[in-house]
Amino acid sequence: MDTNLVVGAGFSGAVIANLLADKLGEKVLVIDKKEHIAGNSYDYTDENGIKIHKYGSHIFHTNNEKVWEFLKNFTDLNTYMHRVVAVIDGIETTIPFNINTLYDVLPQSLAKRLEEKLLDVFEYNTKVPILEFQKQNDSDLKFLADYVYEKVFLHYTNKQWGTSPKEVDSAVTARVPVFISRDDRYFQDKYQGIPVCGYTRTIEKMLKHPNIEIKLNTDYKDIKGDFKRIFYTGPIDEFFDYKFGQLPYRSVNFKLETHNHEYYQCNAVVNYPCNYDFTRIHEYKYYLNDISSKTVIAKEYSEDFVLGKNDRYYPVPKEENKKLYDRYLSEAEKLNNVYFLGRLGDYKYYNMDQAIERAIEVFERIVK
Ligand code: FAD
Ligand code: UDP
């Protein structure tokens, strides 16, 4: 009865477990149904010495000082700055769509005219979500907005979400805004990079504490006993036996290939917004500059999550899903000493730093 139970050993579970064990000196049992810790951030070194992100490329980035203060106790970041190459009409360029992209994909005289118009309308370094950007009156900028919508967003979003950019929550495409800048990095955050020791090792260090016990291959439904508190980072609908119905998710299938040459592509991530069935190709050795005569890539295919067939990767941000989630949340609020957090527990499209921030916030609420 004096032990806390943490369900899930991803970032959310590891952060809350660490804080309970270290700051409050309490006992914590962490369980995960997977055979490894680190949840979707799990990485491992393969036989070629290449660090593979098993569930797709993970790049840490944050502006949140509190998150960084916490994380830096467990790892340094390297100085990797993420850029995403996209192939548009066979041309390799960078996204978010920025001023460099303009000159890469359009005739130079047209690009120059559009650049001047953009800088007349928007301040330098402004980020404009595509659905906002489409509300232009000027005919040149309208052309540009339609071009970007079609070439960057329409087909990619259809592949990724099975629906058009106008039918997913606007926050989804706003993650990759049109950027009125020459800065072609994917993120502008103050802290960004890859943990030098890897994500799994970082989380292992969070969980390595005399007050923490870990049980892998262990599902919550098989756990018996009384606990002081339960922190549940699994899917909230599953916790309540789907009594109101299932919360929809998108799943992803990564097809790994090993190639017998040093590099496969020019960048860690190359997006294919116009061609092929996969959305993007990851080449993992770029992240930590792994030296190998071989290289490992993963082609990312998106599909609907189907219970029992594949895994949950992306909550689907849509009004009707939020309403369903809210029904589960009301049930959750009736429980004593059970806390929901994490991408699955909160049904929110968290980045890693947001998952960490949320776990710290849950901890602070308990301490108060
Ligand atoms: P998870 O990592 O999903 O951990 C939840 C854990 O709970 C899992 O290990 C699961 O097995 C366990 N669990 C679930 N149900 C049960 C149960 N019943 N019993 C026991 N255990 C259970 N974020 C970034 O910041 N940068 C990126 O570049 C980035 N790239 C991403 C790419 C992809 C393809 C995806 C899917 C996500 C990406 N993310 C990225 C988001 C990142 O993965 C999440 O923010 C992070 O993993 C959330 O951690 P979590 O602990 O909440 O969830
Ligand atoms: N997106 C797109 N084309 C791209 C990149 C992103 O249409 O080339 C849209 C798509 O809807 C995607 C969303 O922007 O789901 C967010 O992209 P992000 O790279 O942030 O997604 P994640 O890395 O979380 O999969």
Side-chain angles (χ1 to χ4, degrees), residues 154-204:
L154 181 60
H155 309 291
Y156 189 102
T157 303
N158 263 315
K159 284 192 269 186
Q160 166 77 32
W161 297 99
T163 183
S164 90
K166 301 213 157 100
E167 280 153 52
V168 287
D169 190 295
S170 57
V172 170
T173 47
R175 288 168 62 90
V176 188
V178 175
F179 193 20
I180 316 299
S181 179
R182 289 273 186 182
D183 181 348
D184 59 7
R185 294 171 303 165
Y186 213 54
F187 310 113
Q188 278 66 43
D189 300 50
K190 177 168 175 190
Y191 305 104
Q192 53 178 300
I194 308 293
V196 290
C197 59
Y199 289 100
T200 306
R201 180 84 185 104
T202 302
I203 287 177
E204 192 176 88

Side-chain angles (χ1 to χ4, degrees), residues 1-6 27 29 220 223-230 336-338:
M1 189 62 189
D2 58 354
T3 300
N4 295 278
L5 176 68
V6 172
K27 296 261 178 241
L29 171 63
Y220 173 65
I223 285 284
K224 308 261 178 305
D226 288 330
F227 294 94
K228 183 170 187 175
R229 307 180 199 90
I230 295 175
N336 276 330
N337 295 325
V338 182

Side-chain angles (χ1 to χ4, degrees), residues 238-356:
E238 185 179 278
F239 183 92
F240 291 106
D241 291 325
Y242 309 106
K243 66 198 271 192
F244 303 128
Q246 280 186 42
L247 284 165
Y249 282 87
R250 288 291 281 175
S251 188
V252 186
N253 184 3
F254 292 99
K255 292 205 173 134
L256 279 190
E257 294 173 13
T258 303
H259 290 263
N260 272 325
H261 33 98
E262 223 180 328
Y263 286 97
Y264 177 87
Q265 60 189 23
C266 61
N267 196 54
V269 176
V270 178
N271 283 14
Y272 289 87
C274 310
N275 302 88
Y276 309 116
D277 294 335
F278 48 82
T279 49
R280 51 189 172 185
I281 301 181
H282 309 257
E283 185 166 7
Y284 294 116
K285 70 193 302 189
Y286 279 105
Y287 290 123
L288 290 170
N289 266 326
D290 296 323
I291 306 297
S292 171
S293 59
K294 300 189 179 178
T295 191
V296 177
I297 62 152
K299 292 182 178 155
E300 180 172 343
Y301 295 85
S302 300
E303 58 192 17
D304 270 334
F305 162 71
V306 179
L307 196 58
K309 177 187 161 219
N310 50 21
D311 290 326
R312 297 170 173 90
Y313 281 79
Y314 292 86
V316 182
K318 257 189 183 179
E319 197 46 44
E320 69 214 61
N321 301 345
K322 164 89 171 57
K323 282 194 185 130
L324 181 53
Y325 164 73
D326 283 343
R327 294 184 73 192
Y328 284 114
L329 184 61
S330 322
E331 289 299 291
E333 282 165 357
K334 292 180 198 155
L335 300 173
N336 276 330
N337 295 325
V338 182
Y339 300 85
F340 291 84
L341 64 159
R343 188 143 147 151
L344 306 168
D346 287 338
Y347 194 64
K348 293 213 170 65
Y349 191 167
Y350 288 145
N351 294 324
M352 290 179 282
D353 65 324
Q354 294 168 308
I356 296 172

